[in-house]
Amino acid sequence: MGGRQKHDVIVVGSGPVGLTVAMDLASRGVDVLVIEKRPRGEAPSVKCNHVSARSMEVFRRLGVADAVRAGGLPDEYPHDVAYRTSATGIELTRIPIPSRAGRLRHAPGPDTDWPTMEPPHRINQIYLEPILFAHAEAMQGLSIRNRVEVSGVCQDASGVQVQARDLVTGDELTFEADYLVGCDGGRSQIRTAIGATLVGDAVIQRVQSTYIRAPKLLSMFKHEPAWATFTLSPIRSGNMYAIDGKEFWLIHNYLKDDEPDFESVNRDRSIRQILGVDDSFEYEVINKEDWFGRRLVADRFRDRRIFICGDAAHLWVPYAGYGMNAGIADAANLAWQLAAVVNGWGAPEILEAHVAERHPITSQVSHFVMDHAHAMATERRIVPQNIEAHDDAGRAVREEVGRRAYELNVQQYCCAGLNFGYFYDKSPLIVYDDESHPGYSMGSFTPSTVPGCRTPHFVLPDGRSLYDAMGPDYCLLRLDADADVRPLLDAAAERGLPLTLLDIPAGVAPQAYRHALLISRPDQHVAWRADTLPADCGTLLDQLRGGAA
């Protein structure tokens, strides 16, 4: 029988979301235990292929962004998205996205002018997860127990108790913590334990997914390779992701409306149609996974001391990479609030903000994704029969299909709106004023300092990122050097609320900054702005810390 172990927070699941919440907590001085039933070093499935810019900003704050950006495809392998009649066929259009080396050269592309120091990065989860794991494992105050399976959880007013079993020794284990975060995937045991139910559309799309090794495929392309290659054909539509840029590929076959189930579709024939190769072409199946594209969001993200994040909280078709990346945003939102309570400066009520903020955003994003999935399905259904014809009509068809594919998809692969445009409009931790939040789409947004928006990023005169200079906690930006902020700093010190002062030289901040003072939260969202301090700074700070002093 294993002994009891007590921690501040237990995280169930060591995927990218679980590791992010654990790293974020540990970086704030919280004692964290991660429980994972998989063996240490076991590769995850080839799921997510994209780390969004907002996630890269989180990784930068946690000190792991450089390692993530160094992983994945070779330095010069294009991160483009290509649309062809088959992988080896005629190219219809492509969305140019710089390779890792291309970004260092400032190569052009539709996602290269975003206001951030951390643009997105194309890397498959099989490479991403080990990088995050190694970084997490080396952090002080963070421990990971592999080959441990949770068998039950319970909670009371004083904490959470986890019953588990060591899958190697068979020992029964008990762990205790103040809080628990379930990041245990789409079949989440923790979601079930808190009585949450997934609500939405159970099936939007059906996909045969096959991970293959095909060393000769790269040399067969008629065009420059791409990170993602979509096949638009009246015979078979699908897409292919480059995993290592050499010989490993992930093939997605989208089932047609008249194909009743996965078993009705010949996998091998479909793969050959998507690749545009004949029966003599040799490839090896590494593994296969058939899945349903869904739009499901849990009806609750919390039960008292237990929270859920990532796929445990929401499942949808991963367009724009916003399956895993939405989970990382969940993690970054929850971690600083949990740390505030554990470290004593946050009132317990601060935790009410997590659900109030993240649940509406995940619902919004899920609808963006669902709408895009339906639009993509429509495009696949209407591919003309003569798309490969070598005549004027065929060329005209290819030009039109390519134009539509580019206009529809550039917004998801260069999704500045989903990265930077969302805002929290009903948070108990944000002091709102009379200005409305600007709208956003999947592809575009308007930088704004309206409370609840992402704090607009810019580079300081000394070359530092604003976010680096602000640090990991609350930050008071002073844009008027004459503004007296001592009462606010004193009130923060009295409450133990970590608040850094950052003076911004005149003329440096972008036009979105129209107030003399602004407080940015630990997750880089605007909490308050004004031209002068309020009469009672304590009341303002008590709202930011989640309750009355």
Side-chain angles (χ1 to χ4, degrees):
M1 178 74 74
R4 291 173 181 260
Q5 299 181 33
K6 179 67 186 293
H7 302 270
D8 293 331
V9 179
I10 291 174
V11 177
V12 180
S14 69
V17 175
L19 290 172
T20 299
V21 73
M23 290 189 295
D24 205 330
L25 287 165
S27 75
R28 301 178 189 279
V30 176
D31 174 48
V32 188
L33 170 67
V34 179
I35 298 175
E36 171 59 60
K37 65 182 179 182
R38 290 179 296 160
R40 184 181 184 279
E42 179 179 281
S45 62
V46 281
K47 289 183 179 178
C48 186
N49 289 280
H50 168 71
V51 180
S52 73
R54 196 69 179 106
S55 294
M56 289 299 295
E57 289 180 343
V58 173
F59 291 157
R60 182 187 182 95
R61 176 166 49 79
L62 297 176
V64 72
D66 288 345
V68 170
R69 201 172 293 283
L73 296 168
D75 282 352
E76 295 289 354
Y77 193 96
H79 290 190
D80 298 358
V81 182
Y83 295 83
R84 300 173 182 167
T85 57
S86 70
T88 58
I90 304 170
E91 187 156 296
L92 307 170
T93 190
R94 77 166 46 209
I95 300 169
I97 298 173
S99 65
R100 177 169 52 243
R103 288 202 185 278
L104 295 177
R105 295 192 299 268
H106 303 290
D111 75 337
T112 57
D113 60 349
W114 292 359
T116 179
M117 297 289 277
E118 294 292 346
H121 182 57
R122 270 67 187 176
I123 178 173
N124 190 270
Q125 190 168 333
I126 64 172
Y127 302 122
L128 170 66
E129 193 171 301
I131 293 170
L132 300 182
F133 189 98
H135 189 82
E137 196 175 38
M139 293 183 72
Q140 184 175 359
L142 196 164
S143 54
I144 304 174
R145 291 287 301 270
N146 285 98
R147 299 299 286 155
V148 173
E149 184 173 37
V150 174
S151 55
V153 298
C154 60
Q155 62 177 314
D156 56 29
S158 63
V160 181
Q161 187 177 94
V162 177
Q163 301 297 329
R165 184 169 65 92
D166 188 312
L167 296 176
V168 176
T169 67
D171 290 345
E172 297 297 325
L173 307 171
T174 300
F175 304 100
E176 295 180 346
D178 293 326
Y179 297 94
L180 183 145
V181 184
C183 304
D184 51 339
R187 296 182 176 89
S188 171
Q189 182 181 358
I190 306 305
R191 183 179 65 233
T192 301
I194 68 172
T197 301
L198 292 172
V199 179
D201 300 285
V203 179
I204 299 174
Q205 190 177 75
R206 298 166 300 151
V207 182
Q208 270 187 344
S209 183
T210 313
Y211 181 35
I212 70 169
R213 177 177 179 268
K216 296 180 179 179
L217 184 59
L218 190 62
S219 65
M220 298 172 65
F221 295 155
K222 296 182 178 66
H223 305 273
E224 187 177 30
W227 162 70
T229 303
F230 282 78
T231 294
L232 295 175
S233 166
I235 300 172
R236 176 65 59 184
S237 290
N239 74 309
M240 176 185 75
Y241 288 102
I243 302 303
D244 68 340
K246 299 174 183 176
E247 59 184 15
F248 291 99
W249 314 87
L250 180 62
I251 313 296
H252 290 329
N253 169 36
Y254 303 112
L255 268 62
K256 301 176 182 179
D257 294 341
D258 60 356
E259 293 172 332
D261 51 48
F262 294 113
E263 288 70 28
S264 67
V265 180
N266 185 303
R267 185 184 300 267
D268 174 70
R269 184 181 301 115
S270 298
I271 289 172
R272 294 182 186 281
Q273 290 169 337
I274 291 168
L275 298 181
V277 297
D278 60 27
D279 290 344
S280 66
F281 179 77
E282 296 180 355
Y283 68 92
E284 173 191 357
V285 174
I286 306 299
N287 59 47
K288 53 189 178 182
E289 180 180 357
D290 300 334
W291 49 273
F292 295 99
R294 310 179 187 277
R295 189 198 68 81
L296 298 171
V297 178
D299 57 357
R300 60 193 304 193
F301 288 1
R302 177 194 184 188
D303 175 19
R304 293 166 288 167
R305 291 177 173 270
I306 302 177
F307 298 79
I308 55 174
C309 288
D311 284 355
H314 40 72
L315 291 167
W316 53 64
V317 181
Y319 283 117
Y322 256 73
M324 178 192 74
N325 290 292
I328 290 173
D330 294 343
N333 179 277
L334 177 59
W336 77 267
Q337 296 170 24
L338 275 175
V341 178
V342 171
N343 291 330
W345 63 264
E349 292 79 10
I350 199 173
L351 298 176
E352 296 173 5
H354 176 66
V355 177
E357 293 177 357
R358 291 305 302 168
H359 200 278
I361 298 304
T362 51
S363 294
Q364 288 175 28
V365 172
S366 75
H367 282 288
F368 276 128
V369 171
M370 183 179 69
D371 291 346
H372 196 86
H374 285 314
M376 284 286 290
T378 298
E379 288 300 307
R380 288 194 294 269
R381 283 195 294 267
I382 62 173
V383 177
Q385 293 292 326
N386 65 333
I387 194 166
E388 292 189 288
H390 296 289
D391 55 24
D392 289 344
R395 284 187 286 273
V397 161
R398 289 193 291 275
E399 182 177 339
E400 175 62 17
V401 172
R403 181 190 63 78
R404 290 202 310 265
Y406 185 95
E407 292 177 355
L408 174 62
N409 290 288
V410 69
Q411 61 183 312
Q412 69 147 321
Y413 290 109
C414 307
C415 50
L418 286 189
N419 276 267
F420 307 135
Y422 67 83
F423 50 83
Y424 302 133
D425 62 350
K426 294 181 178 63
S427 172
L429 306 183
I430 292 172
V431 183
Y432 298 101
D433 52 34
D434 57 1
E435 185 174 352
S436 299
H437 299 91
Y440 69 100
S441 66
M442 182 179 280
S444 62
F445 79 109
T446 301
S448 174
T449 61
V450 173
C453 292
R454 167 183 174 267
T455 304
H457 181 271
F458 58 94
V459 178
L460 297 171
D462 61 6
R464 286 184 300 164
S465 158
L466 172 68
Y467 291 174
D468 293 348
M470 289 195 305
D473 299 309
Y474 274 106
C475 183
L476 172 62
L477 303 185
R478 179 165 59 180
L479 293 95
D480 179 355
D482 295 328
D484 179 16
V485 297
R486 178 50 54 188
L488 185 64
L489 298 177
D490 289 344
E494 290 172 6
R495 288 157 175 76
L497 186 149
L499 178 65
T500 300
L501 173 64
L502 179 63
D503 282 311
I504 307 299
V508 170
Q511 292 182 348
Y513 288 86
R514 294 181 284 103
H515 295 74
L517 303 169
L518 180 148
I519 295 178
S520 182
R521 304 193 323 181
D523 62 350
Q524 300 152 348
H525 281 258
V526 178
W528 169 85
R529 63 179 183 174
D531 287 320
T532 59
L533 292 182
D536 185 352
C537 291
T539 299
L540 166 63
L541 294 177
D542 286 339
Q543 181 172 349
L544 301 191
R545 59 180 290 275

